[in-house]
Amino acid sequence: MANNYHANKQPGVIRSLDWWTVGIYLSLLVFGWVSVCGASYTYGDTDIFSLGTRSGMQVIWIGTSICLGFVLLMMDDRLYDTFAYVIYGLLVLLLFATIFNPHSIKGSRSWIVLGPLRLQPAEFAKFATALAISKFMSSYGFTIHNWKHFATACGIILLPMICIVGQSETGSALVYLSFFLMFYREGMPGSILFTGIAMIVYFVVGVKYEGLMLWNTPTSVGKFFVLLLVQLFSIGMVWIYTQNKDKAPKMLAFVLVVTLSALLFSEFVIPFDVVWVQLVLSAGIIGYLVYNSLTSFFSNYLFIALFTIGSIAFFYSADYVLNDVMQPHQRVRINVLLGLEEDLAGAGYNVHQSEIAIGSGGLRGKGFLNGTQTKLNFVPEQDTDFIFCTVGEEEGFLGSAAVLFLFLALILRLMYVAERQPFKFGRVYGYCVAGIFLFHVFINVGMVLGLTPVIGIPLPFFSYGGSSLWGFTLLLFIFLRIDAGRNLIRQ
């Protein structure tokens, strides 16, 4: 038996390394450097490898990243498990200290300036948080269905988020929401994930159509449909999560009949705001759910009631925060995203110019260093947050599709490798890494296309700079080393 066990083991890290992932990583580095060249090149430059140019400096960052990856592979993978909490603690302290950093760059205090070198601790805190959460969730006795355990795990994620928000880096803090993909894989109820999606739907529908009136009534379309969605979602959860299937159809029929009657009365008899009727209906649903919870001793009714209350509270509080708490420039960004304002000379300028650049690339693009929008610097931050527009302009639809395919291949490969881990620590960490990459790619490409908010996060391996490149390399190669360790003979 022992002989068969050792026969399946391999003696070296290099031989057991997942070379498919390494190949994708190197391909993305090459594509990224080409894109930095295209984004930072100006007519008349003679040496794109000069250290005085961004393309030349990116070569340094790429070279040091590859060296960093090699060093990580040479370390014992058990060190990442052993020192996970120590690494996390040090990074959180550094994040906290950075809040009081006297150097402010573009309104953010998230950078540590060491002479010519600038580092952003938030980029390194991601791998530290992933290690800490993996360590905690793989500990003996942990179960995600225990609310205390789940709350502690969320606290591990929330702590660096608070520090990063204190640095005025809200975009980087939102990246930590990607850990919920890992939570879902590890058994988090789908209702929690659904609640998050529902909140986004409430916000978009409510804000976008708040000023539009329904028919000839003084009823806001946004508020009407949000409250109707809350009621329908609650009834759907009664159908799915409770034992009595007869209640949901009756509740649905009652809600639809009362809502339609109120609408017809407001339209043809006496105009009034039907939202008040919906609020009364929602209160009735909440009371009915609480009553069933008390009489049947079935806690799911109470959880659905809390969902209904939380949904209504979220919608009205979000409306208040948007209109009365947020700064004007923040409100304008959201309005531009939702199509309520254009502001092509202000908040919508970056997105508008990036859309022009991508659209001008056509099918095959204008060719390397031949983009006009980027060469004439029409797109701000075109070699960092908006670098994907350079891909679209110079490489066209085909090049953009190839880049997205590589990212998709990387994320799917990470999930595949995570599933083959013999220990929970490796699987949890792998899904953390996959979730972080997925969030970065989805939000960054989406904001360049005008589909997601402009929150200022880099595109992995593409955006110019050492902090993000080193941070993503740390994330990836620690996981590769953990995966390689599954096939090593332990002394």
Side-chain angles (χ1 to χ4, degrees), residues 136 141-154 186-189 192:
F136 178 72
F142 174 87
T143 171
I144 201 168
H145 299 291
N146 183 312
W147 71 269
K148 291 183 180 179
H149 293 173
F150 182 62
T152 303
C154 290
E186 293 301 318
M188 182 185 73
I192 296 179

Side-chain angles (χ1 to χ4, degrees), residues 108-259:
S108 170
R109 295 184 179 275
S110 62
W111 295 86
I112 294 178
V113 180
L114 302 172
L117 185 64
R118 297 189 305 179
L119 294 176
Q120 192 173 24
E123 293 296 332
F124 304 104
K126 286 179 282 193
F127 90 88
T129 305
L131 285 175
I133 200 74
S134 303
K135 173 81 170 179
F136 178 72
M137 293 183 65
S138 61
S139 59
Y140 179 76
F142 174 87
T143 171
I144 201 168
H145 299 291
N146 183 312
W147 71 269
K148 291 183 180 179
H149 293 173
F150 182 62
T152 303
C154 290
I156 293 174
I157 296 170
L158 185 62
L159 186 56
M161 287 183 69
I162 294 173
C163 293
I164 294 171
V165 170
Q167 301 169 3
S168 301
E169 272 291 333
T170 308
S172 297
L174 292 175
V175 173
Y176 287 76
L177 296 177
S178 62
F179 287 103
F180 278 84
L181 172 66
M182 175 273 297
F183 283 149
Y184 182 70
R185 165 59 184 84
E186 293 301 318
M188 182 185 73
S191 57
I192 296 179
L193 196 63
F194 172 76
T195 300
I197 296 172
M199 299 301 178
I200 297 173
V201 174
Y202 298 154
F203 182 80
V204 172
V205 173
V207 172
K208 187 173 179 65
Y209 300 105
E210 183 180 16
L212 185 64
M213 296 297 110
L214 186 63
W215 294 344
N216 295 318
T217 70
T219 304
S220 166
V221 171
K223 292 181 179 179
F224 174 84
F225 278 104
V226 166
L227 290 173
L228 183 61
L229 284 173
V230 170
Q231 296 161 7
L232 294 178
F233 288 161
S234 300
I235 294 170
M237 294 175 78
V238 170
W239 172 266
I240 295 172
Y241 294 111
T242 63
Q243 298 171 340
N244 193 333
K245 300 295 183 183
D246 296 332
K247 288 184 170 63
K250 294 177 182 178
M251 292 173 65
L252 178 62
F254 180 76
V255 165
L256 292 180
V257 168
V258 172
T259 301

Side-chain angles (χ1 to χ4, degrees), residues 237-238 240-244 289-304:
M237 294 175 78
V238 170
I240 295 172
Y241 294 111
T242 63
Q243 298 171 340
N244 193 333
L289 292 170
V290 173
Y291 170 78
N292 277 277
S293 174
L294 295 174
T295 56
S296 65
F297 300 102
F298 193 52
S299 61
N300 281 10
Y301 284 110
L302 182 59
F303 289 131
I304 298 171

Side-chain angles (χ1 to χ4, degrees), residues 13 71-83 481-482 485 488 490-491:
V13 172
V71 171
L72 293 171
L73 292 177
M74 292 301 101
M75 296 175 66
D76 191 328
D77 60 291
R78 290 170 292 190
L79 293 174
Y80 303 123
D81 188 340
T82 304
F83 294 101
R481 181 60 185 88
I482 293 171
L488 295 183
R490 301 296 185 184
Q491 299 297 328

Side-chain angles (χ1 to χ4, degrees), residues 363-430:
L363 180 64
R364 298 184 178 181
K366 298 177 179 178
F368 181 53
L369 304 182
N370 289 326
T372 53
Q373 291 292 115
T374 51
K375 298 304 161 293
L376 297 175
N377 295 316
F378 281 112
V379 186
E381 311 295 339
Q382 62 189 21
D383 57 359
T384 51
D385 298 341
F386 281 81
I387 195 167
F388 190 74
C389 71
T390 304
V391 180
E393 184 177 29
E394 295 193 347
E395 310 302 329
F397 174 80
L398 295 179
S400 301
V403 169
L404 293 178
F405 175 79
L406 279 175
F407 278 119
L408 177 63
L410 175 65
I411 293 166
L412 292 178
R413 185 67 187 180
L414 289 173
M415 295 171 69
Y416 168 79
V417 174
E419 287 294 338
R420 75 184 183 190
Q421 298 306 303
F423 301 107
K424 190 175 181 180
F425 176 84
R427 184 179 72 238
V428 171
Y429 183 81

Side-chain angles (χ1 to χ4, degrees), residues 335-354:
N335 289 336
V336 169
L337 175 68
L338 297 179
L340 300 176
E341 299 180 25
E342 280 196 335
D343 193 23
L344 299 183
Y349 178 80
N350 290 24
V351 174
H352 181 63
Q353 292 298 329
S354 68

